[in-house]
Amino acid sequence: MTSPLGRLRPERPPVRRVDDLAAALDLRTAGPATTDRTFTGVTMSSSEVEPGDLFVAVPGLKVHGARFAADAVARGAVAVLTDADGVASVPRDVPVLVADDPRALAGPVAAWALGDPASRLVTIGVTGTNGKTTTTYFVDAAMRAHHARTAVLGTVELRIGEDAVESPRTTVEAPVLQALLAVAHERGAGALTTEVSSHALALGRVRGLRFDVVGFTNLQRDHLDFHGDMEGYFRDKSRLFAADQARRGVVVVDDVWGRRLAAESPIPVETVSTHVGAPDGDDADWAVVEADIGLDGVGSRFVLRGPDGARHEAHSPLPGLVNVSNAALAIVLAHAAGVPLPTAVDAVAGAHAIPGRMERVVERGDGWPLCLVDYAHTPDALVLALEAVRPITPGRLVLVYGSDGDRDRGKRPIMGQIGARLADVLVVTDENPRSEDPASIRAAILAGVRDVRPDLADVHEASSRAQAIRDALRLAGPDDTVIVTGKGHEPTQEIAGVFHRYNDRDVFLAAHAEGREQHA
């Protein structure tokens, strides 16, 4: 991170009347009269209330948010928006606005309170299973080439201009998003690009924001613990392409889900085919028709054919076929958002490395293997990562990986099979066990490994992720590559509900520094 972003709130928020809000959004009222009661902010977290806030209390998985209304009021909340079930929990001397679905209204309420800050910015949203972060950073590079200042929000960070903080999740809650839009405008940004997760879409975190352009990368197995099945997952992703959520879209049609989304989208979309020679390439608006896939630290050069048949020489600064797809989508998204095509092409080619995305932490040399960190945490992403690394590995491919707790359990043996098939040496360890027994998660992965390697040859297990990386380095030779996947940039590890400071890159660097000292 470059420097603190600050309060994540605008310095000069409008002062709004509670009764005007009730009239504007047709909300019922309860408790004391709202006449002359004003507010200056909106939040869904009682711990983040600032004096003068409207607190939005929504039903949770375990408890109703209205249970925390008294805490919110003690911190300075002047009114509460909740549903009929939450009214009784709000202190009697506080005005209450009542809605059937307060979660769905949190974004529109915050947008109304802040004067619809998105209307003063160019806004781009990117969704899909894999590639959201990389594509978002590529788009932001293009927007920065066209605007004096930009903002980018997502899994890695919340950044406005040169100021940034760690991101709490892929897509922040609706009032935070609206506040960041207001801060971006206040600080002179002309465009904001954000990742949009399927959870965010299902939970209404981007409600109240109508994007200028939205993009879709792909749909692969992930989060089925939340969405139920792939159909439910697709349905929630598709919400971003609703007419009240976006004006136009760009869809990668390399998989069946992208082709379906493009066919069913209620908003105008441009299609992008990124696999050379794909059957649907001729029908796509944009298509990658040539590609020279870069390998050892070198990006990929490709030719992007436009709707008018013109051919555009382009470049992805990151290696691998997947990043040709991300770069092509980013170029078309930026162009759809008003960036001249040559500017977009040049800016994406010059984009900087992205934390935790095929990040080269230690270069091969002086007896050390090449050490990489990648966020791959789905079966398809793991295949792409290992296939991309194999050609740059003279020796053995050493993989350190695991799978998240409290998430899709069905993918664990699949991950085990993929690792056993595509890597030479495996070190199975923990990602974020959360509330689950870490050993049981590792056992499920190892069960998949046994399907491919019944004797578990060159397979190791480590309960400490840091120790797993050190074990991998001990096992690796100078011609090998060690890749640790699953957590990427993440700065913490969640174990038994406790967040511990941890980062894969830091462990690599610490081990490398220790090794150099020992040989000095």
Side-chain angles (χ1 to χ4, degrees):
M1 301 303 164
T2 53
S3 60
L5 186 56
R7 293 172 52 245
L8 308 185
R9 302 256 192 140
E11 293 294 330
R12 299 173 296 279
V15 178
R16 301 296 191 188
R17 289 161 49 97
V18 174
D19 54 352
D20 288 342
L21 171 62
L25 275 70
D26 195 24
L27 300 172
R28 305 188 300 278
T29 59
T34 61
T35 305
D36 296 329
R37 186 67 63 101
T38 61
F39 67 102
T40 54
V42 181
T43 183
M44 296 175 68
S45 172
S46 61
S47 63
E48 296 175 1
V49 167
E50 295 188 8
D53 274 355
L54 169 72
F55 174 57
V56 182
V58 304
L61 291 175
K62 297 180 180 178
V63 299
H64 199 295
R67 292 266 303 271
F68 304 97
D71 293 338
V73 171
R75 290 175 177 268
V78 296
V80 175
L81 169 63
T82 189
D83 58 13
D85 292 336
V87 172
S89 298
V90 179
R92 293 184 178 181
D93 58 342
V94 178
V96 182
L97 301 178
V98 186
D100 294 335
D101 187 355
R103 180 181 291 281
L105 280 180
V109 165
W112 180 88
L114 292 168
D116 190 19
S119 65
R120 297 185 289 276
L121 298 165
V122 177
T123 52
I124 305 100
V126 181
T127 197
T129 304
N130 295 313
K132 292 189 299 296
T133 300
T134 301
T135 301
T136 298
Y137 272 83
F138 285 170
V139 171
D140 181 64
M143 303 312 290
R144 280 189 284 114
H146 190 62
H147 296 269
R149 181 169 294 177
T150 67
V152 61
L153 316 176
T155 306
V156 176
E157 64 183 350
L158 309 175
R159 175 165 55 78
I160 298 174
E162 298 304 317
D163 296 333
V165 295
E166 290 177 358
S167 178
R169 54 172 58 90
T170 299
T171 311
V172 294
E173 291 287 4
V176 179
L177 176 58
Q178 291 295 332
L180 286 167
L181 287 161
V183 173
H185 171 67
E186 192 175 69
R187 297 191 182 185
L192 180 144
T193 308
T194 183
E195 297 179 52
V196 185
S197 70
S198 55
H199 289 73
L201 289 162
L203 297 173
R205 291 179 190 156
V206 290
R207 294 287 296 272
L209 165 58
R210 190 180 185 209
F211 289 96
D212 291 300
V213 189
V214 294
F216 174 87
T217 60
N218 51 65
L219 196 72
Q220 300 164 2
R221 178 173 182 144
D222 202 13
H223 307 305
L224 298 192
D225 55 298
F226 181 82
H227 300 287
D229 55 24
M230 289 298 292
E231 189 66 30
Y233 190 18
F234 173 76
R235 185 170 55 251
D236 283 332
K237 285 290 190 188
S238 301
R239 294 173 188 263
L240 186 58
F241 286 72
D244 63 348
Q245 197 71 80
R247 293 177 173 83
R248 59 189 300 193
V250 180
V251 178
V252 174
V253 291
D254 294 338
D255 63 27
V256 64
W257 302 104
R259 292 189 289 275
R260 178 176 165 187
L261 178 59
E264 297 177 359
S265 173
I267 63 174
V269 298
E270 294 179 82
T271 56
V272 185
S273 173
T274 72
H275 293 170
V276 176
D280 294 323
D282 291 341
D283 296 328
D285 297 310
W286 301 78
V288 174
V289 294
E290 294 180 20
D292 179 13
I293 306 301
L295 297 174
D296 197 3
V298 179
S300 302
R301 297 191 178 279
F302 61 96
V303 176
L304 183 63
R305 188 262 301 150
D308 59 356
R311 295 161 60 92
H312 306 278
E313 297 281 347
H315 180 81
S316 164
L318 297 181
L321 177 61
V322 65
N323 287 309
V324 169
S325 177
N326 294 332
L329 173 59
I331 290 168
V332 179
L333 276 170
H335 183 49
V339 179
L341 189 57
T343 302
V345 169
D346 290 346
V348 169
H352 299 299
I354 300 163
R357 272 62 182 176
M358 205 56 74
E359 183 178 2
R360 301 167 71 94
V361 181
V362 178
E363 295 290 346
R364 194 186 315 280
D366 296 329
W368 280 83
L370 174 62
C371 299
L372 302 170
V373 171
D374 192 72
Y375 191 52
H377 62 284
T378 67
D380 296 275
L382 183 61
V383 169
L384 289 170
L386 296 179
E387 288 181 345
V389 171
R390 174 63 73 182
I392 63 173
T393 304
R396 300 174 303 165
L397 180 51
V398 183
L399 169 64
V400 179
Y401 75 145
S403 192
D404 273 342
D406 298 338
R407 298 295 186 268
D408 180 10
R409 299 186 181 198
K411 74 177 183 181
R412 295 170 188 173
I414 300 172
M415 301 285 279
Q417 294 164 0
I418 292 168
R421 190 174 72 250
L422 298 180
D424 300 303
V425 180
L426 306 181
V427 184
V428 177
T429 188
D430 302 332
E431 280 187 20
N432 296 298
R434 297 187 173 90
S435 69
E436 283 195 65
D437 173 23
S440 68
I441 301 173
R442 298 194 301 272
I445 298 170
L446 289 167
V449 173
R450 286 191 184 90
D451 292 340
V452 180
R453 298 186 197 176
D455 59 355
L456 294 182
D458 290 317
V459 178
H460 308 266
E461 183 178 4
S463 59
S464 162
R465 191 170 178 92
Q467 187 59 50
I469 292 176
R470 293 177 182 276
D471 289 348
L473 290 171
R474 175 178 52 80
L475 294 164
D479 290 333
D480 298 339
T481 295
V482 178
I483 180 170
V484 54
T485 65
K487 289 183 63 62
H489 69 284
E490 291 180 352
T492 60
Q493 185 178 28
E494 185 181 355
I495 304 172
V498 178
F499 288 87
H500 306 267
R501 295 298 297 184
Y502 172 85
N503 179 263
D504 288 332
R505 182 177 188 273
D506 292 344
V507 175
F508 267 140
L509 292 175
H512 187 236
E514 292 167 7
R516 294 182 65 180
E517 288 177 3
Q518 292 171 3
H519 292 88

